[in-house]
Amino acid sequence: MDVDKNQIEEQTQTKEQGAEGDLHVEYTTLNLGPTHPATHGIFQNILTMDGDYVVDSEQTVGYIHRAFEKIAERRPYYQITTLTDRLNYCSAPINNMGWHMTVEKLIEVDIPKRAQYMRVIIMELARIADHLVCNAVIGVDTGALTGFTYMFQWREKIYDIFEQICGARLTTNIGRIGGMERDFNNEVYRLINAFLNDFPKAFQEFCSLLERNRIFFDRTVKTGPISAERALNYGFTGPNLRATGVDYDVRVANPYSAYEDFDFEIPVGLNGDTYDRFMVRQGEIWESLKIIRQAIDNMPAGKYFADVPEFYLPPKEDVYNNMEALIWHFKIVMGESDVPKGEVYHAVEGGNGEVGFYMQSDGGRAPYKLHFRRPCFIFYQAFPEMIKGGMLSDAIVTLSSLNVIAGELDA
Amino acid sequence: MAEITNEFLLERINQQFGESIRSSETPYDMLTLVIDPAKVEDIMEFLFKDNLLRFRFLTDVCGSHHPDIAGQELCVIYHLQSMENNIRLRLKAFVPVDSPEIPSVTSLYASANWMERETYDFYGIQFTGHPNLARILNVDEMDYFPLRKEYPLEDGTREDKADQYFGR
């Protein structure tokens, strides 16, 4: 654990214990963050330390709060997609799809199977990218930089696929309300097939680098554990919950976007410690590959968007050459499409757990109220309980294995 | 175990708390109950401890502001989930903006801690019994509740932004 001395403000507190004064305990207050290379994001932890052991901790969040929920109350529906990109920016496409599906649920439109399969492929690629970053960073924090640099190449290849699909890499704004903005071209299929062919070999090397590594065991087994009961009480979802042994996955519990068509397993852990969280994510990467293969093999023919001209942005050629398309384009861009009144909650399985969208619509051009259920924000409050009594270096590894993303934490 | 339907769920809650339930509807297949704010903790405790329902998971807490409804301006929205029965439930409790008090559910769900702080931070709803009801995402010095509707996102006095056709 390499804590930069300059980053740490140390204060020494003295605590008297016992009347004789011979049992003299000194606690140190350690300020970890707000900007610290080992926290991988902007959040502050004020740790009370007894030597190298964490006695207590207090968190401060909100450093990159951007008031998305307020901004969303002024924006037409299609413009909110770009806000969702910036929640969990490691797997932006999942948030995009979650948002599209929320609006589609509100306006009650069925999406063609082809678009659903395309979305599944994109979401699973995003999940692989998200889990790769998380697991590679756990490697870095335990002293294995090689795996990180190796796996980042593959994240780049996933981003190449996104670039080919939608033109963007990180904050993708992928898909549209009502379907996808365009069909996959041949290059997309070529890149996906190359990825499906080459990635498993490379990933297998990464697996053998860490999964049975003695040093990695020592650092991660029984580090930052949490029981299933406490995890549920703390609102854990996603890999962090499954590491405790609860097989809850939104993709299976409330299938969306044709997930019921695919055959895949839900990897679960046993102890809810850092190693189990790591292994659950590793397992999910293999399952995601399985899902993508099935989706590519069984890709249905047909249209990639639903017949909802009042919400689905028409292709640009039509806008320039077709009167009706121009009118719809104009109405959508100016936010003049009528939406029904109502309230809707839709959840998708994000990289870190259940990403939920709760929306109240009063029939206006923007949502009356929009709330993002951000899994990071909810499970991060369990962090003090998980690191209590452990060493500082374990706290760092626990933090990376929780995969707290600052953008999702603060919204 | 027989599958628990929305109708069954509503009936079971009605048996216990019939007088505290002000209305119920099922938008987009999720049972939504408007409940008496004073009874929030009791109802959630029942849902949590009932052996059949087992709503052990608090999915989400958020607020909303409705300035038009006199005496019920602020609303707290709870999303609950029973993983074993795979059913979700939405509870809404309206409180007046003058005395926005509602019992905290942190004793039942540890996850409610930050979610209630967030709701307080943005809407000023006072969760009585909360262990540490402080601002969480905004700065501590802030003296207003920014997600209330009286704070427009854009400066309302600007004339160059006025657009009578598109309702800006």
Side-chain angles (χ1 to χ4, degrees):
Chain A
M1 178 49 236
D2 51 339
V3 177
D4 188 348
K5 288 280 186 295
N6 298 327
Q7 295 268 358
I8 298 167
E9 292 168 28
E10 284 194 44
Q11 283 176 306
T12 307
Q13 289 177 345
T14 313
K15 193 184 166 197
E16 298 293 339
Q17 202 166 21
E20 293 85 30
D22 51 349
L23 275 174
H24 183 75
V25 179
E26 261 188 17
Y27 288 148
T28 315
T29 304
L30 185 70
N31 203 352
L32 185 70
T35 53
H36 189 282
T39 58
H40 314 293
I42 309 175
F43 22 86
Q44 185 184 32
N45 282 285
I46 302 165
L47 309 172
T48 307
M49 309 285 299
D50 179 8
D52 213 4
Y53 291 89
V54 180
V55 180
D56 199 9
S57 64
E58 200 189 322
Q59 304 140 292
T60 316
V61 302
Y63 285 96
I64 63 162
H65 172 59
R66 294 145 297 179
F68 282 166
E69 288 170 18
K70 188 77 182 175
I71 296 171
E73 289 176 11
R74 293 282 299 189
R75 285 199 178 185
Y77 289 83
Y78 78 99
Q79 285 187 359
I80 294 170
T81 320
T82 52
L83 299 179
T84 64
D85 275 334
R86 284 143 183 90
L87 291 173
N88 184 349
Y89 36 73
C90 285
S91 50
I94 302 182
N95 305 334
N96 297 157
M97 300 306 170
W99 169 245
H100 298 324
M101 282 182 251
T102 311
V103 181
E104 284 154 9
K105 198 169 177 179
L106 181 76
I107 61 180
E108 293 180 278
V109 50
D110 290 324
I111 304 303
K113 266 272 159 63
R114 185 176 179 83
Q116 294 188 357
Y117 274 50
M118 287 161 77
R119 285 177 175 190
V120 165
I121 292 170
I122 292 164
M123 285 191 281
E124 292 308 317
L125 284 170
R127 195 182 317 283
I128 293 175
D130 189 290
H131 288 354
L132 268 187
V133 175
C134 176
N135 278 357
V137 163
I138 297 174
V140 172
D141 287 338
T142 52
L145 194 67
T146 320
F148 177 76
T149 48
Y150 196 34
M151 283 301 111
F152 252 58
Q153 292 177 19
W154 295 94
R155 194 185 78 139
E156 283 301 300
K157 290 196 195 296
I158 293 174
Y159 283 179
D160 287 343
I161 300 172
F162 290 160
E163 192 176 13
Q164 198 56 241
I165 294 171
C166 74
R169 294 169 69 85
L170 188 73
T171 49
T172 46
N173 194 22
I174 209 166
R176 292 285 180 268
I177 293 163
M180 298 294 297
E181 70 269 41
R182 71 191 77 142
D183 209 346
F184 286 173
N185 57 28
N186 290 336
E187 182 65 7
V188 173
Y189 286 109
R190 194 190 66 77
L191 285 172
I192 293 176
N193 282 325
F195 182 82
L196 289 177
N197 195 35
D198 302 338
F199 175 69
K201 283 173 242 161
F203 185 58
Q204 186 57 53
E205 287 181 72
F206 178 75
C207 294
S208 39
L209 193 67
L210 292 174
E211 279 179 9
R212 307 290 298 163
N213 181 322
R214 182 58 209 259
I215 304 168
F216 191 70
F217 271 4
D218 289 347
R219 288 299 307 278
T220 54
V221 174
K222 293 189 180 154
T223 303
I226 189 161
S227 69
E229 200 189 341
R230 289 304 290 161
L232 282 172
N233 205 253
Y234 266 120
F236 275 49
T237 42
N240 297 334
L241 176 67
R242 291 192 281 275
T244 67
V246 181
D247 63 342
Y248 174 73
D249 188 319
V250 189
R251 289 176 292 175
V252 177
N254 310 102
Y256 52 89
S257 194
Y259 266 111
E260 65 274 13
D261 294 1
F262 299 100
D263 175 30
F264 63 102
E265 314 253 310
I266 311 175
V268 289
L270 196 63
N271 305 316
D273 58 7
T274 298
Y275 184 72
D276 281 2
R277 283 190 284 274
F278 174 84
M279 287 308 287
V280 165
R281 285 200 172 85
Q282 295 283 87
E284 281 186 19
I285 291 177
W286 290 115
E287 296 305 317
S288 294
L289 287 169
K290 249 164 74 179
I291 297 173
I292 297 170
R293 265 193 210 103
Q294 291 172 42
I296 290 276
D297 291 347
N298 306 318
M299 178 68 87
K303 281 163 80 174
Y304 55 92
F305 56 90
D307 187 21
V308 274
E310 63 271 44
F311 291 98
Y312 179 78
L313 274 168
K316 269 285 179 292
E317 309 88 80
D318 290 358
V319 176
Y320 294 139
N321 298 309
N322 179 327
M323 179 73 159
E324 209 172 325
L326 178 64
I327 294 170
W328 286 125
H329 178 88
F330 188 68
K331 284 195 85 163
I332 295 167
V333 170
M334 299 312 291
E336 292 298 296
S337 301
D338 291 328
V339 291
K341 289 181 186 182
E343 55 186 324
V344 60
Y345 177 85
H346 185 73
V348 294
E349 181 72 24
N352 282 327
E354 180 173 327
V355 181
F357 300 85
Y358 169 66
M359 177 160 66
Q360 289 178 4
S361 160
D362 63 346
R365 67 197 289 270
Y368 185 79
K369 158 79 194 166
L370 177 63
H371 181 75
F372 303 113
R373 183 207 191 266
R374 291 113 50 207
C376 283
F377 178 76
I378 294 166
F379 66 63
Y380 186 46
Q381 45 187 324
F383 185 57
E385 194 175 304
M386 294 166 79
I387 62 168
K388 201 169 188 170
M391 290 172 74
L392 174 62
S393 47
D394 293 345
I396 299 292
V397 181
T398 307
L399 185 60
S400 6
S401 72
L402 282 174
N403 197 20
V404 184
I405 307 284
E408 195 171 74
L409 191 69
D410 294 343
Chain B
M1 189 165 34
E3 201 181 332
I4 290 184
T5 58
N6 284 333
E7 293 75 34
F8 176 82
L9 180 60
L10 177 63
E11 199 189 306
R12 194 156 173 98
I13 302 170
N14 254 330
Q15 279 172 6
Q16 285 276 337
F17 296 98
E19 72 286 350
S20 308
I21 295 179
R22 293 185 177 160
S23 70
S24 71
E25 51 180 342
T26 330
Y28 302 95
D29 292 334
M30 194 190 285
L31 181 64
T32 303
L33 304 175
V34 178
I35 57 173
D36 180 358
K39 291 278 188 226
V40 163
E41 206 180 356
D42 298 340
I43 293 176
M44 278 167 79
E45 192 173 354
F46 165 72
L47 291 167
F48 186 94
K49 294 192 172 151
D50 188 84
N51 269 330
L52 208 55
L53 302 180
R54 301 173 75 86
F55 278 88
R56 297 285 167 86
F57 194 81
L58 179 65
T59 317
D60 194 23
V61 178
C62 68
S64 68
H65 187 203
H66 308 270
D68 311 336
I69 318 175
Q72 300 189 333
E73 287 91 352
L74 293 171
C75 178
V76 188
I77 301 126
Y78 301 90
H79 285 87
L80 295 168
Q81 196 173 346
S82 170
M83 283 184 183
E84 283 136 89
N85 299 310
N86 196 12
I87 190 166
R88 293 175 192 264
L89 168 68
R90 183 185 294 134
L91 298 177
K92 294 169 79 171
F94 288 91
V95 288
V97 73
D98 307 319
S99 60
E101 286 193 2
I102 195 163
S104 166
V105 291
T106 40
S107 54
L108 291 168
Y109 303 100
S111 53
N113 188 330
W114 281 17
M115 292 196 266
E116 287 180 353
R117 277 178 71 183
E118 190 192 17
T119 311
Y120 160 76
D121 196 353
F122 288 115
Y123 290 97
I125 292 157
Q126 301 286 337
F127 291 90
T128 50
H130 191 285
N132 174 28
L133 196 66
R135 287 190 182 272
I136 184 160
L137 290 176
N138 289 311
V139 287
D140 294 342
E141 296 79 37
M142 196 178 239
D143 57 357
Y144 58 96
F145 301 107
L147 268 178
R148 288 191 182 173
K149 291 286 180 188
E150 66 255 36
Y151 302 107
L153 191 64
E154 289 173 56
D155 181 1
T157 60
R158 278 178 62 174
E159 286 181 4
D160 58 321
K161 286 262 182 180
D163 187 334
Q164 56 181 318
Y165 297 108
F166 295 108
R168 277 171 192 262

